[in-house]
């Protein structure tokens, strides 16, 4: 009986943590979108944009 209650508490903590994480991430994303909506998105790689290929 005690083990079932313990597992139920663990599941409840897991669900609450997951909901809290998604709530905080969505709020941060909203704030980030508001503060940086006019900026050009950063490039995640260091390659030049218009690189000529050797096949041409």
């Amino acid at each position: 009986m005690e083990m079932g209650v313990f597992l139920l508490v663990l599941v409840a903590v897991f669900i609450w943590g997951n909901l809290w994480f998604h709530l905080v991430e969505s709020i941060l994303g909203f704030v980030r979108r508001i503060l940086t909506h006019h900026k050009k998105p950063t490039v995640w790689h260091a390659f030049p944009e218009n690189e000529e290929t050797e096949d041409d």
Side-chain angles (χ1 to χ4, degrees):
M1 178 68 176
E2 294 91 15
M3 194 168 190
V5 171
F6 179 71
L7 288 176
L8 190 62
V9 169
L10 282 180
V11 168
V13 168
F14 175 76
I15 291 172
W16 173 252
N18 210 356
L19 290 173
W20 180 255
F21 171 78
H22 288 291
L23 175 71
V24 170
E25 284 294 317
S26 63
I27 291 171
L28 287 176
F30 180 71
V31 170
R32 204 174 291 132
R33 238 187 348 252
I34 288 175
L35 295 177
T36 63
H37 74 277
H38 60 281
K39 294 182 182 178
K40 188 176 180 181
T42 58
V43 180
W44 61 271
H45 57 77
F47 299 127
E49 289 185 20
N50 296 327
E51 185 176 337
E52 299 274 336
T53 59
E54 293 182 14
D55 296 337
D56 292 341

